[in-house]
Amino acid sequence: MTAIATTVMMKKGIGIHNRLPNGFDAIQINSGVVHHKEHTGSQVNYEHFSFMPLYIDEAYIPKRDWRPLDKLEKRIVTPTESLKDHNNIYLGTLPEKAKQLIREIDFSSCKSREDVMQRFGEHKELTMALNTELHNFLQTIANDKSFHLHCITANLPNVEMVACDITRLHSNFTIPEKKYMGMHNDGTQFMTLHTTYKHGNRICINLGEETRYFLYINLSMIQVYNMLKEVTDISKVDVYNVAETFFKHFPEYPVIRMAQEPGHYYIAPTDNCFHDGSTLGNTKLDINMVYFGNFTH
Ligand SMILES: [Fe+2]
């Protein structure tokens, strides 16, 4: 498929409800994405790993021209609608007690996910106390009180785009064989572009020792659908090819990047918007914990 890139002004869409003390200092914007083949990758060197990340054919990567948001952009991403889980990103920090427990478990020596799980195992009491603290906190922000732990993930440092569809790999794959997806939506076969907003959101907590990034595009899947129907045969677009189709047509649509410090969380409707995480520039293992639910704060 070839497409003519269309320039479009940034729209008001999925806003950022920000409770971080440093406010907009944690948020940056860029001038859009490039196809991974036109992108100069960043080598990953960590422990015994030394490799250049690979990407799936249809991957698009945010450009690196990050800058602070201007006045108009700040207005665009500031939510005006009442709080709903599917049209807002929430940024915040965990209660102090939970952060203290994370520091006490101390993941500083961890070099892999196995090390992280071992650390939890070696500190059962602290782990149970953390579980209780997190549970109590999540109950205060979960709308219908139902949520569940989805995963604990570790990413190598300096991985520009962390998401990977491991179902595409053989069973004994190694980390350098992973093919990263670039900016993507998480939708499944049970969703259409008109139903992704009904599937709740996730909270991702940074358990690591370094600041990581969450990146997103401030458009819901229905907004994306409406933009694409003006420029392409919309009957061929589904939750699987919507990212590639959108980025072919609108590569200049800006990406927003949020710094997620240790002990900070983001909440995002990841079925309903293009997004990814990044550990670009980091030197230590990235560790995060994800719960699924319907969160607002
Ligand atoms: Fe994702």
Side-chain angles (χ1 to χ4, degrees), residues 139-173:
Q139 280 205 318
T140 67
I141 59 168
N143 288 335
D144 57 5
K145 308 295 176 206
S146 74
F147 53 84
H148 66 273
L149 178 63
H150 171 61
C151 60
I152 295 169
T153 305
N155 296 300
L156 297 188
N158 207 35
V159 174
E160 187 152 13
M161 299 261 90
V162 300
C164 168
D165 179 3
I166 57 169
T167 62
R168 295 183 187 214
L169 287 160
H170 62 87
S171 54
N172 299 319
F173 72 89

Side-chain angles (χ1 to χ4, degrees), residues 194-249:
H194 283 88
T195 64
T196 54
Y197 77 93
K198 294 180 182 171
H199 292 265
N201 56 15
R202 65 168 57 197
I203 181 166
C204 171
I205 297 164
N206 184 0
L207 298 182
E209 295 217 301
E210 274 187 303
T211 297
R212 65 196 305 280
Y213 295 99
F214 177 66
L215 301 86
Y216 91 114
I217 284 182
N218 78 326
L219 298 168
S220 69
M221 282 302 133
I222 289 178
Q223 286 179 298
V224 166
Y225 178 96
N226 288 332
M227 287 167 72
L228 285 177
K229 77 174 194 276
E230 303 296 325
V231 295
T232 192
D233 178 359
I234 199 68
S235 67
K236 296 197 170 75
V237 181
D238 57 28
V239 292
Y240 295 109
N241 63 19
V242 65
E244 179 188 15
T245 313
F246 178 80
F247 293 125
K248 269 183 184 157
H249 285 278

Side-chain angles (χ1 to χ4, degrees), residues 163 181 184-186 202 214 266 270-271 273 275-277:
M181 300 161 77
H184 66 281
N185 51 307
D186 292 344
R202 65 168 57 197
F214 177 66
Y266 74 78
T270 52
D271 295 318
C273 64
H275 65 275
D276 205 347

Side-chain angles (χ1 to χ4, degrees), residues 28-285:
Q28 294 176 304
I29 193 165
N30 78 352
S31 65
V33 297
V34 285
H35 188 262
H36 73 92
K37 284 192 178 143
E38 281 129 52
H39 176 72
T40 309
S42 189
Q43 181 86 9
V44 176
N45 295 306
Y46 182 69
E47 295 295 298
H48 62 283
F49 293 111
S50 182
F51 64 94
M52 191 61 101
L54 303 173
Y55 290 100
I56 60 171
D57 290 345
E58 56 271 36
Y60 284 81
I61 319 298
K63 292 192 217 166
R64 294 198 189 134
D65 54 348
W66 302 107
R67 60 167 175 81
L69 278 68
D70 66 26
K71 228 176 175 173
L72 175 64
E73 291 157 351
K74 284 180 183 174
R75 206 157 55 214
I76 289 172
V77 302
T78 300
T80 45
E81 283 185 67
S82 60
L83 299 184
K84 296 215 179 69
D85 59 13
H86 59 81
N87 59 9
N88 278 293
I89 306 280
Y90 304 87
L91 302 179
T93 180
L94 290 178
E96 198 46 49
K97 189 149 183 223
K99 287 201 280 196
Q100 180 57 31
L101 288 163
I102 293 168
R103 284 192 289 268
E104 282 173 39
I105 296 172
D106 185 8
F107 300 103
S108 60
S109 62
C110 296
K111 307 290 186 198
S112 65
R113 187 177 184 279
E114 289 68 36
D115 292 350
V116 173
M117 300 320 285
Q118 194 178 336
R119 200 80 199 150
F120 278 125
E122 287 164 358
H123 296 277
K124 284 207 172 70
E125 277 184 25
L126 291 171
T127 300
M128 275 159 66
L130 175 63
N131 192 41
T132 304
E133 281 304 312
L134 290 178
H135 199 87
N136 291 345
F137 168 65
L138 294 175
Q139 280 205 318
T140 67
I141 59 168
N143 288 335
D144 57 5
K145 308 295 176 206
S146 74
F147 53 84
H148 66 273
L149 178 63
H150 171 61
C151 60
I152 295 169
T153 305
N155 296 300
L156 297 188
N158 207 35
V159 174
E160 187 152 13
M161 299 261 90
V162 300
C164 168
D165 179 3
I166 57 169
T167 62
R168 295 183 187 214
L169 287 160
H170 62 87
S171 54
N172 299 319
F173 72 89
T174 64
I175 288 181
E177 283 179 314
K178 276 181 159 186
K179 286 192 173 177
Y180 296 94
M181 300 161 77
M183 294 294 286
H184 66 281
N185 51 307
D186 292 344
T188 70
Q189 57 180 317
F190 305 108
M191 302 175 199
T192 72
L193 296 174
H194 283 88
T195 64
T196 54
Y197 77 93
K198 294 180 182 171
H199 292 265
N201 56 15
R202 65 168 57 197
I203 181 166
C204 171
I205 297 164
N206 184 0
L207 298 182
E209 295 217 301
E210 274 187 303
T211 297
R212 65 196 305 280
Y213 295 99
F214 177 66
L215 301 86
Y216 91 114
I217 284 182
N218 78 326
L219 298 168
S220 69
M221 282 302 133
I222 289 178
Q223 286 179 298
V224 166
Y225 178 96
N226 288 332
M227 287 167 72
L228 285 177
K229 77 174 194 276
E230 303 296 325
V231 295
T232 192
D233 178 359
I234 199 68
S235 67
K236 296 197 170 75
V237 181
D238 57 28
V239 292
Y240 295 109
N241 63 19
V242 65
E244 179 188 15
T245 313
F246 178 80
F247 293 125
K248 269 183 184 157
H249 285 278
F250 301 104
E252 292 173 14
Y253 198 90
V255 182
I256 293 170
R257 161 170 114 155
M258 286 157 275
Q260 190 191 4
E261 291 177 25
H264 287 192
Y265 62 83
Y266 74 78
I267 299 170
T270 52
D271 295 318
N272 199 31
C273 64
F274 302 127
H275 65 275
D276 205 347
S278 176
T279 67
L280 192 64
N282 288 5
T283 58
K284 294 175 186 161
L285 190 72

